[in-house]
């Protein structure tokens, strides 16, 4: 028969020199010529599987590359804004578009960090103090909306019909449209214990950094309420990690007529510190933004 003398289905050298050479090379490599033919992909689906693997790998590489580009662009925009100075946005006369605000806030909901205001202690305040707390929640929310790197906010133990519930709706226009979570549940029902950090000025632990995988909790008490170590005791009873702002580590006491020095801040002031640090990674800048001189603490370079 024609070609009957060819080994492994290859044509003879006489019949087709180039094809024969190729087949001989495949034979020496112990590869059947039919394995690389048009029907190879149908034999067991091996080729198709390989294509799927390659396609998934290419897709993941595109995802990672897009993430790297986004982070690089964010760093470049941040550097440009810092170079322009803090008043650049106001000089341009424009507000941050609502769509961008929403995108940033919802991004924080997905990737963190979370900031919870614990309203389970709100019943210990007078109506005047509760009204002040409602105002602080409004200022905290407004500052978070303006932030380039916002937190996702959550009011926990926000009980319908409670005094703080009524005051938030009475004093804050559009409160029902705030882009944040409100729940009657405790933060203990929302997060694992090891993901919660209760921020209290009475803690022995210093807050060194902000972890986007953590949920930070602020006690819902106004700064003039005197409930010494209440939030610390509450956190300890719940076996939670606690931390305080590094005020005494970066600031110094100033001389004043009342000899007054306090590390207890309003919740919106605490947020100003956290937000500024999360954007700048500078504790001095963060503490300057949130700790007023009226607290009796200033940065060392402010002391003459």
């Amino acid at each position: 028969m024609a070609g009957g003398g060819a080994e492994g289905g290859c044509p003879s050298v006489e019949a087709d020199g180039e094809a024969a050479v190729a087949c001989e090379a495949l034979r020496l490599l112990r590869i059947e010529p039919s394995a690389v033919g048009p029907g190879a992909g149908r034999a067991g689906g091996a080729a198709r599987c390989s294509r799927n693997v390659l396609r998934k790998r290419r897709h993941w590489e595109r995802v990672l590359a897009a993430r790297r580009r986004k982070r690089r662009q964010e760093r470049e925009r941040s550097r440009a804004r810092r170079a322009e100075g803090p008043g650049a946005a106001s000089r341009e006369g424009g507000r941050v578009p609502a769509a961008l605000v929403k995108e940033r806030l919802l991004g924080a909901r997905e990737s963190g960090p979370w900031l919870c205001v614990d309203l389970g202690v709100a019943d210990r305040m007078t109506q005047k103090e509760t009204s002040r707390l409602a105002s602080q929640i409004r200022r905290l929310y407004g500052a978070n909306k303006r932030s380039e790197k916002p937190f996702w906010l959550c009011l926990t133990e926000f009980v319908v019909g409670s005094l703080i519930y009524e005051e938030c709706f009475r004093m804050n226009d559009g409160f029902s449209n705030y882009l944040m979570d409100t729940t009657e549940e405790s933060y203990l029902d929302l997060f694992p214990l090891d993901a919660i950090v209760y921020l209290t000025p009475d803690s022995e632990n210093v807050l060194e950094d902000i972890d986007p995988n953590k949920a930070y909790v602020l006690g819902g008490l106004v700064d003039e309420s005197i409930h010494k170590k209440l939030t610390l005791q509450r956190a300890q009873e719940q076996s939670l990690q606690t931390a305080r702002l590094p005020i005494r580590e970066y600031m110094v006491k100033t001389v004043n007529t009342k000899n007054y020095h306090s590390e207890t801040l309003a919740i919106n002031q605490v947020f100003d510190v956290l937000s500024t640090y999360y954007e700048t990674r500078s504790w001095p800048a963060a503490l300057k933004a949130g700790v007023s001189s009226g607290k009796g603490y200033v940065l060392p370079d402010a002391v003459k």
Side-chain angles (χ1 to χ4, degrees):
M1 293 182 296
E7 185 176 350
C10 285
S12 65
V13 174
E14 292 81 0
D16 189 340
E18 293 183 359
V21 171
C23 286
E24 180 65 14
L26 291 174
R27 187 184 66 78
L28 292 174
L29 292 172
R30 299 182 183 276
I31 299 175
E32 287 295 327
S34 60
V36 296
R42 293 188 295 272
R48 187 181 304 110
C49 178
S50 298
R51 285 196 296 271
N52 287 338
V53 170
L54 289 174
R55 185 170 61 251
K56 290 178 181 179
R57 180 179 293 277
R58 285 194 296 267
H59 172 71
W60 181 239
E61 289 173 350
R62 287 195 297 270
V63 170
L64 294 178
R67 289 182 179 177
R68 287 193 293 268
R69 285 195 301 271
K70 185 175 180 180
R71 287 195 294 267
R72 186 168 60 250
Q73 291 167 355
E74 289 176 349
R75 288 195 297 269
E76 290 172 354
R77 285 196 294 266
S78 180
R79 284 195 294 266
R81 281 190 289 266
R82 286 197 296 269
E84 292 172 353
S90 60
R91 289 194 300 270
E92 292 172 1
R95 297 173 60 186
V96 177
L100 179 56
V101 170
K102 183 176 181 180
E103 179 185 347
R104 287 174 176 173
L105 290 174
L106 294 180
R109 186 179 192 180
E110 295 299 323
S111 58
W114 280 55
L115 184 71
C116 300
V117 179
D118 173 19
L119 298 177
V121 293
D123 59 351
R124 299 170 184 261
M125 296 183 296
T126 65
Q127 180 162 356
K128 178 182 177 182
E129 291 170 337
T130 304
S131 297
R132 292 186 61 113
L133 178 60
S135 296
Q136 292 173 9
I137 290 173
R138 181 183 67 247
R139 291 195 288 272
L140 190 160
Y141 177 74
N144 195 47
K145 282 181 61 179
R146 294 188 296 272
S147 177
E148 295 178 10
K149 298 175 64 176
F151 289 62
W152 181 253
L153 304 180
C154 181
L155 305 184
T156 59
E157 297 190 51
F158 189 61
V159 179
V160 175
S162 64
L163 183 56
I164 184 60
Y165 179 93
E166 299 294 341
E167 288 299 287
C168 280
F169 279 92
R170 183 182 70 84
M171 298 187 64
N172 303 334
D173 292 338
F175 182 80
S176 59
N177 297 321
Y178 281 12
L179 267 176
M180 65 180 183
D181 285 339
T182 59
T183 176
E184 294 192 1
E185 293 183 297
S186 167
Y187 43 84
L188 298 175
D189 302 317
L190 303 177
F191 309 99
L193 289 181
D194 59 359
I196 301 173
V197 180
Y198 206 116
L199 299 178
T200 167
D202 300 309
S203 175
E204 295 180 355
N205 307 314
V206 178
L207 182 66
E208 297 180 352
D209 200 1
I210 294 176
D211 184 349
N213 298 316
K214 298 286 188 181
Y216 296 90
V217 180
L218 302 179
L221 292 170
V222 295
D223 53 354
E224 67 263 29
S225 295
I226 307 300
H227 299 286
K228 190 170 180 61
K229 295 188 177 181
L230 172 64
T231 51
L232 177 63
Q233 292 170 358
R234 180 172 172 82
Q236 288 175 337
E237 290 169 0
Q238 297 169 342
S239 301
L240 298 176
Q241 178 184 350
T242 64
R244 61 173 174 81
L245 298 178
I247 294 177
R248 68 189 76 159
E249 282 70 26
Y250 288 91
M251 308 186 86
V252 296
K253 293 181 178 180
T254 57
V255 177
N256 56 69
T257 55
K258 296 182 179 180
N259 193 30
Y260 174 76
H261 305 90
S262 176
E263 297 180 43
T264 303
L265 308 179
I267 61 169
N268 59 294
Q269 293 174 323
V270 175
F271 176 77
D272 288 343
V273 174
L274 297 176
S275 177
T276 304
Y277 174 77
Y278 195 48
E279 289 186 13
T280 66
R281 297 292 171 175
S282 167
W283 280 119
L287 295 167
K288 183 177 181 180
V291 182
S292 67
S293 58
K295 291 294 180 179
Y297 284 91
V298 296
L299 293 173
D301 57 10
V303 180
K304 296 180 180 180

